[in-house]
Amino acid sequence: MEVRRHNAGFCAPHFLKLCRDQVERAIAHHDMLHPGERVLVAVSGGKDSLALWDLLVDLGYQADGLYLGLGIGEYSDESGDHARAFAQGRGLRLIEVDLREQYGYDIPTGARAARRVPCSACGLSKRHLFDAAAVEGGYDAVATGHNLDDEAAVLFGNVLRWHTEYIGRQQPVLPERDGFPRKVKPLVRLSERETAAYCVLKGIDYQVEECPMAAGNRHLGYKEALNLIEERSPGTKAAFYSEFIDKVADRFAVDTAAEQGALGACASCGAPTTGEVCAFCKLVERAGGHGADQPVSLTAKPASRR
Amino acid sequence: MEVRRHNAGFCAPHFLKLCRDQVERAIAHHDMLHPGERVLVAVSGGKDSLALWDLLVDLGYQADGLYLGLGIGEYSDESGDHARAFAQGRGLRLIEVDLREQYGYDIPTGARAARRVPCSACGLSKRHLFDAAAVEGGYDAVATGHNLDDEAAVLFGNVLRWHTEYIGRQQPVLPERDGFPRKVKPLVRLSERETAAYCVLKGIDYQVEECPMAAGNRHLGYKEALNLIEERSPGTKAAFYSEFIDKVADRFAVDTAAEQGALGACASCGAPTTGEVCAFCKLVERAGGHGADQPVSLTAKPASRR
């Protein structure tokens, strides 16, 4: 396995060691987790989340998984199967939440009803439900499988528009605050090619398909543009991200603080929010009742509910 | 002429007006030039510098051109012809400096002798000689033809590596200071497609070929990556650059100030420099005697001179 940005090739055992070392380093360098902590892993069934779960267990953390049923047709069915198979095979605990059963909507139809792009409705649902489950279950942190490619692409997108309030917030660890759990991204030192190779070498059977709703979104365009540059100058992506964290992020902290405002409790669910009702409850209000078998009427008023 | 980032199409007269308006706006917004000032235009013979010269004259500035003979084979011969033809056709004054005749080197062989990549030796030579000619000729400012694509690509390259000291310096106008003339970039609101169309519509015959020494350099890779994104989201490039200037550049000013240090006069030529001898004089010292007809011996010591 050739890793061009390290200018080195690795045999299987040393490649696995590299992955483990990079995750340990990220955790230590950013003070993400402490020995023996209880971690809730956001599990999608893809390469990143399963590699992450595997690595955290291997490193001695008490890591449970949380899988969200998003209702995105076959893609979701298969993703769930991979997550369950992984957990069962290793005797790990997988918590499951099904959007349709528990909140009355799925991503494709609910997003349309709420007039949000699917990726926005999905991200919002995930953030809220992972946070809520972590707080409720008394976990020390939520861990997500964002890898170097993801983080570099998000940073690139925010830098292209100079969304200063988002730029200041892009950290590999967000400390616990005001009812939000600590959030950590232990894979920020691994590329997506590496997490895929990790899974293959460890015999982890993951969902290979990308989410069909994400096809053609901006984020993938940013990844493509960065890959074009990485191809010519290996290491650019890692430098872009790590130099940002080390030398630049602080300069934008003030924008993030200004944007965050004062937090109260959501009148509906109690989650921390700057408004009366949190964004997730607003989404449920508008999207609820829009599961796959209840097609959306595009003429219905946005806030209407069945 | 369709301009997607303005979401509009233009007929020829209105397109020319658009270009003129954008240049006037850039000049006014950044306080680049004042009515009737004497401007030295850095002329390469390409679309940008000839469009710039044409527009500045049209807007009433006293604009002379300076053409540098870089000695890059046929490319330089043709570029010079275009610059001369433009000046003669309009009765404008074109100053010429020939690197080989006046400084004993040309870019291809001199760069090799000085162990610099050609684009680095070329940029250094241009900056020094344009500055020196402007100061000597008592011009109020040097104007260069950097367009939106150029500036966005340079910014992108600096942001990818977070070269904070360069990021802070990237401004459409650099005020006169310590022996450096004021430098202005009036084309920052026009894309390269637009300056090319401007030349075609105005009947300006320009050098179409790109410099053969720049082929495959990083800067072109950055342009390509940005074009990929611009294609999907028109306006991204303009937003990236202008939001940076308006909201972000100041945050990096301190890095630039720290890097600039105290300036003295070059012991050899008197130009402002932080060292004993300026970078241009060092280049001449190493590259001198390396014109095209005196091939470089690659085994010669870097500082050796014939």
Side-chain angles (χ1 to χ4, degrees):
Chain A
M1 174 83 187
E2 213 194 325
V3 183
R4 286 181 70 205
R5 77 173 182 289
H6 296 309
N7 201 18
F10 296 85
C11 64
H14 280 107
F15 177 75
L16 294 175
K17 183 177 180 309
L18 172 80
C19 293
R20 197 185 140 117
D21 288 352
Q22 293 293 335
V23 169
E24 269 196 295
R25 240 169 112 171
I27 291 174
H29 184 66
H30 299 292
D31 197 22
M32 289 181 183
L33 300 170
H34 307 115
E37 280 193 328
R38 289 185 65 229
V39 185
L40 185 64
V41 182
V43 173
S44 71
K47 60 193 187 317
D48 301 311
S49 60
L50 294 183
L52 172 63
W53 199 359
D54 188 76
L55 281 156
L56 289 180
V57 169
D58 199 35
L59 290 169
Y61 298 98
Q62 297 185 49
D64 295 341
L66 171 56
Y67 174 79
L68 289 191
L70 303 166
I72 307 176
E74 251 179 54
Y75 169 76
S76 286
D77 298 340
E78 288 174 19
S79 302
D81 290 344
H82 287 292
R84 277 170 226 119
F86 179 87
Q88 278 160 20
R90 283 159 173 78
L92 296 170
R93 180 172 178 230
L94 181 68
I95 306 165
E96 292 200 45
V97 173
D98 190 273
L99 283 186
R100 217 180 279 153
E101 277 172 28
Q102 283 161 269
Y103 296 93
Y105 70 98
D106 58 37
I107 295 298
T109 50
R112 233 180 306 151
R115 311 215 167 168
R116 276 180 176 266
V117 291
C119 296
S120 152
C122 185
L124 167 59
S125 305
K126 284 174 176 172
R127 279 190 300 275
H128 177 88
L129 293 168
F130 287 129
D131 287 356
V135 171
E136 200 188 307
Y139 289 92
D140 296 301
V142 172
T144 55
H146 295 95
N147 59 40
L148 175 58
D149 297 78
D150 295 324
E151 292 299 289
V154 169
L155 178 59
F156 183 32
N158 286 332
V159 159
L160 272 177
R161 299 268 169 187
W162 294 106
H163 282 150
T164 54
E165 68 286 12
Y166 298 150
I167 294 176
R169 195 196 293 163
Q170 194 171 356
Q171 290 290 341
V173 53
L174 293 176
E176 180 183 355
R177 67 165 193 116
D178 306 329
F180 287 115
R182 190 193 326 154
K183 295 180 210 184
V184 300
K185 301 172 181 172
L187 300 188
V188 289
R189 297 179 64 93
L190 292 175
S191 75
E192 59 188 25
R193 186 169 156 267
E194 287 146 33
T195 59
Y198 180 89
C199 287
V200 171
L201 291 173
K202 291 276 284 192
I204 298 171
D205 197 21
Y206 63 90
Q207 166 74 321
V208 175
E209 305 299 316
E210 296 286 339
C211 174
M213 312 226 64
N217 77 3
R218 280 191 179 170
H219 184 68
L220 293 179
Y222 300 146
K223 279 193 173 178
E224 214 177 295
L226 287 178
N227 285 342
L228 199 71
I229 291 163
E230 181 75 14
E231 182 60 35
R232 296 187 191 191
S233 308
T236 304
K237 228 183 271 184
F240 175 52
Y241 180 69
S242 66
E243 294 283 289
F244 166 76
I245 297 295
D246 293 347
K247 296 197 310 193
V248 178
D250 285 352
R251 301 172 200 231
F252 295 89
V254 61
D255 303 75
T256 303
E259 183 247 4
Q260 281 175 338
L263 289 169
C266 169
S268 169
C269 75
T273 176
T274 50
E276 179 79 14
V277 173
C278 76
F280 178 74
C281 287
K282 284 185 200 152
L283 174 67
V284 173
E285 169 70 21
R286 296 168 80 175
H290 288 107
D293 45 2
Q294 291 154 295
V296 179
S297 154
L298 286 171
T299 55
K301 291 230 177 82
S304 75
R305 217 173 156 181
R306 304 197 182 176
Chain B
M1 174 84 188
E2 212 194 325
V3 184
R4 286 181 69 204
R5 77 173 183 290
H6 296 308
N7 200 19
F10 296 86
C11 63
H14 280 107
F15 176 76
L16 293 175
K17 183 177 180 308
L18 171 80
C19 292
R20 197 184 140 117
D21 288 351
Q22 293 293 335
V23 168
E24 270 197 295
R25 241 170 109 170
I27 290 174
H29 185 65
H30 299 290
D31 197 22
M32 289 182 183
L33 300 170
H34 307 114
E37 280 193 327
R38 289 185 65 229
V39 186
L40 185 64
V41 182
V43 173
S44 72
K47 61 192 186 318
D48 301 310
S49 59
L50 294 183
L52 172 62
W53 198 0
D54 189 76
L55 282 156
L56 289 179
V57 169
D58 199 34
L59 289 169
Y61 297 99
Q62 296 185 49
D64 295 341
L66 171 56
Y67 174 80
L68 288 192
L70 303 166
I72 307 176
E74 250 179 53
Y75 169 76
S76 285
D77 298 341
E78 287 175 19
S79 302
D81 291 344
H82 287 293
R84 276 169 227 122
F86 179 88
Q88 278 159 20
R90 283 160 173 78
L92 296 171
R93 180 172 177 229
L94 180 68
I95 307 165
E96 293 200 45
V97 173
D98 190 274
L99 282 187
R100 216 180 279 152
E101 277 172 28
Q102 283 160 270
Y103 295 94
Y105 71 98
D106 59 37
I107 295 299
T109 50
R112 234 181 303 152
R115 310 216 167 168
R116 275 180 175 268
V117 291
C119 296
S120 152
C122 185
L124 167 58
S125 305
K126 283 174 177 172
R127 278 190 300 276
H128 178 87
L129 293 168
F130 287 129
D131 287 356
V135 170
E136 201 187 307
Y139 288 93
D140 297 301
V142 172
T144 55
H146 294 95
N147 59 41
L148 175 58
D149 297 77
D150 296 324
E151 293 299 289
V154 168
L155 178 60
F156 183 31
N158 286 331
V159 159
L160 273 178
R161 299 267 169 186
W162 294 106
H163 282 149
T164 54
E165 68 286 12
Y166 298 150
I167 295 175
R169 195 195 292 163
Q170 194 172 356
Q171 289 290 341
V173 54
L174 294 176
E176 179 183 357
R177 67 164 194 116
D178 306 329
F180 288 115
R182 190 195 325 155
K183 295 180 211 184
V184 301
K185 300 173 181 171
L187 301 187
V188 290
R189 298 179 64 92
L190 293 176
S191 75
E192 58 188 25
R193 186 168 157 268
E194 287 146 32
T195 60
Y198 180 89
C199 286
V200 171
L201 291 173
K202 291 276 285 193
I204 298 171
D205 197 21
Y206 63 91
Q207 166 73 318
V208 175
E209 305 299 316
E210 296 287 338
C211 174
M213 312 226 64
N217 76 4
R218 281 191 179 169
H219 184 68
L220 293 179
Y222 300 145
K223 279 194 172 177
E224 215 177 293
L226 287 178
N227 285 342
L228 199 71
I229 291 163
E230 181 76 14
E231 182 60 35
R232 296 187 191 191
S233 308
T236 303
K237 228 183 273 185
F240 175 51
Y241 180 69
S242 66
E243 294 282 290
F244 166 76
I245 297 294
D246 293 348
K247 296 197 310 192
V248 178
D250 285 352
R251 301 173 200 230
F252 294 90
V254 61
D255 303 75
T256 302
E259 184 247 5
Q260 282 176 336
L263 289 169
C266 169
S268 168
C269 75
T273 176
T274 50
E276 179 79 13
V277 172
C278 75
F280 178 74
C281 286
K282 284 185 199 152
L283 174 67
V284 173
E285 169 70 23
R286 296 169 81 176
H290 288 107
D293 45 2
Q294 292 154 294
V296 179
S297 156
L298 286 171
T299 54
K301 292 230 176 81
S304 73
R305 217 172 156 184
R306 303 198 181 175

